[in-house]
Amino acid sequence: GVTGGASLTNTGDVTAAAPVGTLGNGIVVGSTADTVINSTGNVSVDIGTGTGYGIQATGLRNTVVSRGNIASDAAGIVTNGAMNPTTFVNGVAEVTQIDSVGDISTSQDVDASAIWARGNQVSVASSGTLPTQGNYASGIVAARNYRGPVGANAEVVDFGGTSASVTNKGDITTQGTSSYGILVGSAGATTVRTEGRITTAGQSAAGIRATGSSVTIDSLGSIKTSGAGAQGILVTTLNGNVTINAGAIDSSGDGIVVQKTGTASSGSINLPAINVNGAITSGGRGIGLDTISANFAPAGMNPLINIAQGASVTGLVGTGPSVRVNNGDAAAPPTVRAVSVQLENNGTITGTGGTALALQQAGGTIRNRGTINGAVIFGLGGIENYGQINGDVTLSSNSGPSPL
């Protein structure tokens, strides 16, 4: 790395090839201050079973602007903090900004995400197609730090940065275990806007996984997951505002899940809003509302769910909470009402397993102007029905935790 800042402008095509098992990158720039890369050419890296990145920037503040296509064995565009010249250990970048227009494809397992952005403040904009093939190879990663498991070393997921944002306009396709469409998180504000199609086919490979003290997701395209336990959208927050505007989701796992972690003393999430504007079809819950307390006092959640006219939520259970305590090791007693929900249905909710709304551990209000197919179980609250409910209705239920 260079002491001070460093920049590079590339206007031609770059090809890197080396004997199998070696290391090699297309473009590499490192410094201890500002590192800037502007590339308008195509980058191709073929190191066989070695490790090769398309574009790599390391520094205190990283900016990468790429206007060409990238094909690489490992990550397409990767950033990291400045390297300590004595210990040869990378620190954490203060700011990372990536703006990519071209297509990026990768082929290897582990840390072969198309865009792998790390830093305290991370911003990623991408408008090309992002196909990956391996395990732990997401379309876009934006976090303070992230590494896939290598040997005896476990996966590292560090969402401790100050902010993280992703804007994606292209299609993302992943095929491996824990290869998310978009993995993004911080300890502050986290935002995602996606307009393309996100398709994942690996175990636990959520379409969008986001964490933050406040999280905003605008999913204007479509999400399809087909791996075991792969949610369409998974949001985790300690105590913050959550807004999800969802279009079409076809998920093998739950469609949308909001998780509230922490303790009862950390407060309830301030009206997480889930707005459904398309068709959600899931193999689990259409919408899951989960609270996971660190002790035996359940954490609270006050969700507002809006299902628009013409939109739909279909799952084994349409909507249901999961209330767990002791770091998730135990279910809360069935009489606990940790979720206070306001549900406005102007579309269609269907429970393919027989129960549309499994809200026995919830209170609040259900206002139905559309159609509900399946039983409605409500712990404590009122139902205003101006539409049609095709199933039994049970109020003030203490029948135990939700079935999923």
Side-chain angles (χ1 to χ4, degrees):
V2 177
T3 301
S7 64
L8 181 146
T9 298
N10 170 58
T11 59
D13 294 341
V14 175
T15 300
V20 172
T22 58
L23 304 177
N25 302 306
I27 297 173
V28 182
V29 180
S31 77
T32 58
D34 294 315
T35 298
V36 178
I37 298 175
N38 285 280
S39 177
T40 58
N42 299 322
V43 178
S44 176
V45 178
D46 184 4
I47 313 297
T49 58
T51 299
Y53 301 136
I55 297 176
Q56 182 179 18
T58 61
L60 191 62
R61 292 169 292 274
N62 297 308
T63 300
V64 177
V65 178
S66 176
R67 294 292 180 263
N69 299 326
I70 299 173
S72 63
D73 300 314
I77 298 176
V78 57
T79 66
N80 207 346
M83 179 178 289
N84 185 303
T86 302
T87 63
F88 300 103
V89 174
N90 291 96
V92 177
E94 291 181 355
V95 179
T96 290
Q97 295 178 310
I98 295 177
D99 183 1
S100 174
V101 171
D103 301 336
I104 302 175
S105 62
T106 70
S107 59
Q108 288 186 347
D109 284 339
V110 185
D111 296 340
S113 297
I115 297 176
W116 183 15
R118 293 174 287 185
N120 270 320
Q121 298 180 35
V122 183
S123 175
V124 175
S126 173
S127 58
T129 61
L130 306 178
T132 71
Q133 298 181 31
N135 299 320
Y136 300 93
S138 300
I140 298 174
V141 173
R144 186 176 188 269
N145 191 22
Y146 174 82
R147 293 198 71 90
V150 178
N153 297 320
E155 181 184 25
V156 175
V157 182
D158 181 355
F159 291 145
T162 55
S163 65
S165 69
V166 171
T167 301
N168 175 63
K169 296 183 179 181
D171 294 343
I172 296 174
T173 304
T174 73
Q175 300 181 34
T177 298
S178 296
S179 294
Y180 308 98
I182 296 173
L183 174 64
V184 56
S186 73
T190 297
T191 61
V192 178
R193 180 181 176 88
T194 179
E195 300 177 13
R197 294 172 295 182
I198 296 176
T199 304
T200 72
Q203 180 178 345
S204 303
I208 299 173
R209 177 184 170 187
T211 298
S213 64
S214 67
V215 178
T216 300
I217 296 177
D218 291 315
S219 178
L220 307 180
S222 64
I223 298 174
K224 179 178 177 57
T225 72
S226 58
Q231 304 96 338
I233 297 174
L234 172 62
V235 172
T236 304
T237 184
L238 176 64
N239 184 24
N241 295 316
V242 175
T243 300
I244 300 173
N245 297 309
I249 297 176
D250 183 355
S251 175
S252 55
D254 295 335
I256 297 174
V257 178
V258 176
Q259 294 181 338
K260 198 278 186 188
T261 61
T263 64
S265 61
S266 64
S268 296
I269 302 177
N270 182 23
L271 276 182
I274 302 173
N275 302 307
V276 179
N277 301 303
I280 295 178
T281 303
S282 71
R285 295 171 296 175
I287 298 175
L289 309 167
D290 298 348
T291 72
I292 306 172
S293 175
N295 53 32
F296 283 99
M301 181 188 294
N302 303 314
L304 170 61
I305 301 173
N306 291 295
I307 301 170
Q309 185 175 4
S312 63
V313 175
T314 301
L316 191 62
V317 171
T319 300
S322 171
V323 181
R324 303 196 66 82
V325 296
N326 194 26
N327 288 321
D329 291 337
T335 54
V336 169
R337 307 284 184 251
V339 177
S340 179
V341 63
Q342 181 176 343
L343 191 153
E344 303 278 347
N345 177 44
N346 294 287
T348 302
I349 303 173
T350 300
T352 59
T355 301
L357 301 178
L359 298 171
Q360 51 263 53
Q361 285 189 287
T365 301
I366 298 171
R367 187 173 292 110
N368 177 49
R369 295 184 177 88
T371 302
I372 298 176
N373 298 312
V376 176
I377 307 173
F378 206 17
L380 183 65
I383 299 176
E384 300 176 19
N385 183 37
Y386 308 100
Q388 186 172 354
I389 300 177
N390 300 314
D392 296 335
V393 176
T394 304
L395 298 177
S396 300
S397 171
N398 293 330
S399 59
S402 298
L404 294 177

